[in-house]
């Protein structure tokens, strides 16, 4: 149905732009000095990231099955699988930052003078940057996918 397809497309776009904004916010925050306030903010933003990512998956699956093209269009489309692989890579790269944000939040709650060790900070920043780079490949694959190029 055309209205379902339109609504799914609208939600899909809003959600993926939100996801990009959340990754960008995390990258900006991780650059600054990690005060207890910033650690709390990072942990909060990261929770939102998890929720938005889940919604992207649900709406994305909705588009595959309830979109106008039909699921067969996507399952035999290499760019669809490339897009899914990039999405999974972004999800895997988000695991370490999430674990660290939770751990830092716990440690800073127990000890207000807690300072994030450099060897824990640097890999988180690298993962976030890699996430953003791979995330930007997703709309490229999406554009190829819809045109069956
Ligand atoms: C499990 C995750 C996802 C699934 C299952 C999924 C699935 C889909 C589907 C079925 C379409 C419809 C294309 C059509 O009109 O035929 C679409 C379009 C699109 N998706 Fe996703 N998607 C997912 C995640 C993402 C993410 C994370 C992004 C981030 C940038 C994204 C960006 C786009 C864009 C930009 C389009 C429109 C492409 C165009 O019309 O040129 N998708 N997606």
């Amino acid at each position: 149905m055309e209205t379902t397809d339109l609504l799914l497309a609208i939600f899909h776009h809003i959600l993926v732009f939100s996801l990009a904004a959340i990754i960008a916010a995390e990258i900006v925050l991780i650059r600054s000095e990690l005060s207890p306030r910033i650690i709390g903010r990072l942990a909060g933003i990261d929770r939102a990231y998890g929720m938005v990512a889940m919604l992207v998956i649900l709406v994305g699956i909705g588009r595959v099955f309830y979109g106008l093209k039909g699921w067969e269009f996507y399952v035999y489309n290499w760019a669809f699988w490339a897009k899914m692989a990039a999405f999974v890579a972004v999800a895997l790269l988000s695991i370490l930052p999430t674990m660290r944000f939770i751990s830092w939040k716990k440690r800073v709650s127990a000890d207000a003078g807690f300072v994030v060790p450099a060897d824990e900070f640097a890999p988180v920043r690298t993962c976030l940057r890699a996430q953003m780079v791979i995330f930007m490949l997703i709309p490229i694959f999406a554009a190829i996918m819809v045109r069956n190029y």
Side-chain angles (χ1 to χ4, degrees):
M1 202 170 113
E2 276 182 23
T3 311
T4 308
D5 184 69
L6 172 66
L7 289 174
L8 286 168
I10 290 170
F11 285 129
H12 192 65
H13 281 91
I14 291 172
L15 290 167
V16 298
F17 279 118
S18 306
L19 217 49
I22 292 173
I23 300 174
E26 290 188 350
I27 289 173
V28 169
L29 286 175
I30 201 90
R31 271 187 195 157
S32 51
E33 204 181 298
L34 291 177
S35 63
R37 199 171 62 90
I38 299 287
I39 291 174
R41 197 171 273 184
L42 275 167
I45 291 177
D46 201 61
R47 259 200 312 276
Y49 175 88
M51 284 187 284
V52 176
M54 290 307 293
L55 289 175
V56 167
I57 294 172
L58 290 178
V59 174
I61 292 172
R63 292 195 81 181
V64 171
F65 290 102
Y66 301 107
L68 290 180
K69 293 193 179 87
W71 62 269
E72 301 90 340
F73 176 86
Y74 304 106
V75 292
Y76 302 113
N77 186 323
W78 70 268
F80 170 76
W81 293 110
K83 185 178 180 234
M84 290 303 104
F87 188 74
V88 169
V90 172
L92 293 176
L93 281 165
S94 75
I95 294 172
L96 178 79
T98 298
M99 283 168 39
R100 289 275 156 89
F101 296 151
I102 294 169
S103 147
W104 295 344
K105 198 174 172 218
K106 269 192 199 145
R107 282 144 82 188
V108 87
S109 309
D111 167 17
F114 167 74
V115 176
V116 175
D119 63 331
E120 289 189 18
F121 169 86
V124 171
R125 200 176 46 187
T126 306
C127 281
L128 289 174
R129 285 177 179 170
Q131 250 178 283
M132 189 53 117
V133 171
I134 298 177
F135 189 86
M136 283 190 293
L137 295 177
I138 300 178
I140 297 174
F141 289 132
I144 298 171
M145 169 186 93
V146 294
R147 285 156 189 85
N148 212 358
Y149 196 74

